[in-house]
Amino acid sequence: MNLLASMHDLLLRWGQQVLAAWRAWWQVMLIGAQIVVLALSPSSYDRPAERSAVLSHLYRASAPLLTWFLVLSALVSLVLIRIVVATAFSYGLSQYALEVLVRTLVLELIPLYTALFVALRYTMPEAQRIRRLLADQHRRGVYHEPQTLLREQMLPRALAGAFSVWLLAALSGLTALVLTYLNVYGFSPWGLAAYNRGVGSVFTPAVSLIFVLKTLFFSLAVAFVPMGSSAQRDVLGGYSRRSDISEFARLLSVLLLLEVVSLLGNYY
């Protein structure tokens, strides 16, 4: 009897956890869809205050992160390039070094760590700010329409987060390509033709499409998952602070799922 009661309690708790997780993900998808609709609606940018808010967040999500991110990205890229080039030369496989670098560094690693960097430095802290705002309003008994929250608080931050991922990924990819050329061919201009052929052989139409779609969905995940979580009420109906680790784990699971799908599309 005790065993049956324990199993019943276990199944009940498991069912409640599954239902809570489903509701949380459903709200993230719902808020993401609403932000997309607002972003595509010209009326979202009618008032000067709304345009100013969007431009302000675009700057805050990109300019302060740009210098340090490019420096760190260049250092990481340089280390990986030297490892791959030295290993390829030591095994007599130097003809494959360029393709390996472009596939691993530009196609796979740069979009992933760019998305994580933007999430940690911008969208997750901004989502916590929105949650603190909602908690303060809840304590004071002040309530606003959900559309007001979406339009004035979430939309500018979501657009800025997505834009930052695209900008930093593009600049980081360009930096990695330049460093790859310099490490493989040095400062000689005579390697440009072979380098262009090597890079072009990797960026086939199918691979380019998958790369663009992956970067797009990475940017949407970085923009929507933290924003959607910020508006979720806790079990008491309030907006208590959420664990940064759990929020990061939720976002990381989405990014890894997208990465696995892109790998299947590229190599299977």
Side-chain angles (χ1 to χ4, degrees):
M1 191 66 181
N2 292 332
L3 178 61
L4 292 177
S6 300
M7 291 182 60
H8 177 269
D9 293 339
L10 179 63
L11 291 175
L12 182 60
R13 287 195 300 270
W14 180 79
Q16 290 173 344
Q17 292 173 355
V18 170
L19 184 60
W22 165 251
R23 288 175 177 172
W25 282 113
W26 174 252
Q27 183 169 354
V28 169
M29 292 186 291
L30 181 62
I31 289 178
Q34 291 174 324
I35 292 175
V36 169
V37 172
L38 286 175
L40 298 177
S41 176
S43 62
S44 300
Y45 315 99
D46 285 342
R47 294 184 297 177
E50 294 172 341
R51 295 193 297 269
S52 177
V54 171
L55 293 175
S56 175
H57 281 283
L58 288 177
Y59 175 83
R60 290 169 52 189
S62 303
L65 311 182
L66 191 58
T67 302
W68 282 109
F69 176 77
L70 289 181
V71 170
L72 292 175
S73 178
L75 290 175
V76 172
S77 299
L78 189 60
V79 171
L80 293 177
I81 290 168
R82 291 304 303 165
I83 291 173
V84 172
V85 170
T87 304
F89 272 93
S90 65
Y91 286 98
L93 301 173
S94 57
Q95 67 272 23
Y96 300 111
L98 179 60
E99 181 177 350
V100 171
L101 283 171
V102 173
R103 286 187 178 276
T104 56
L105 186 58
V106 179
L107 290 181
E108 308 301 339
L109 293 179
I110 286 178
L112 181 59
Y113 72 66
T114 302
L116 293 174
F117 184 86
V118 174
L120 290 172
R121 292 299 303 273
Y122 179 75
T123 55
M124 290 179 61
E126 291 297 324
Q128 291 288 5
R129 289 190 179 92
I130 293 177
R131 192 162 185 85
R132 287 197 297 270
L133 174 65
L134 292 174
D136 181 64
Q137 293 177 350
H138 181 71
R139 285 193 300 268
R140 293 187 289 112
V142 178
Y143 298 97
H144 295 289
E145 290 293 331
Q147 287 299 317
T148 302
L149 177 67
L150 284 168
R151 185 184 296 270
E152 296 182 358
Q153 301 294 335
M154 292 187 178
L155 176 62
R157 289 172 169 85
L159 290 175
F163 172 78
S164 182
V165 171
W166 277 97
L167 177 64
L168 297 183
L171 294 178
S172 182
L174 181 61
T175 302
L177 289 175
V178 172
L179 291 175
T180 300
Y181 179 86
L182 294 177
N183 277 271
V184 175
Y185 298 101
F187 291 93
S188 172
W190 307 114
L192 282 174
Y195 180 76
N196 290 335
R197 285 195 302 270
V199 174
S201 65
V202 175
F203 282 95
T204 62
V207 171
S208 300
L209 177 62
I210 292 174
F211 174 70
V212 171
L213 290 177
K214 179 175 73 171
T215 307
L216 172 63
F217 285 112
F218 274 9
S219 65
L220 295 180
V222 168
F224 296 159
V225 174
M227 294 297 125
S229 300
S230 67
Q232 294 175 4
R233 294 179 179 269
D234 53 30
V235 293
L236 300 177
Y239 297 93
S240 59
R241 178 178 173 83
R242 290 176 177 266
S243 170
D244 291 333
I245 299 299
S246 62
E247 295 300 310
F248 178 75
R250 176 182 296 185
L251 176 61
L252 182 61
S253 65
V254 176
L255 295 177
L256 291 180
L257 177 62
L258 294 173
E259 180 66 28
V260 169
V261 172
S262 72
L263 289 174
L264 291 175
N266 279 329
Y267 303 109
Y268 289 96

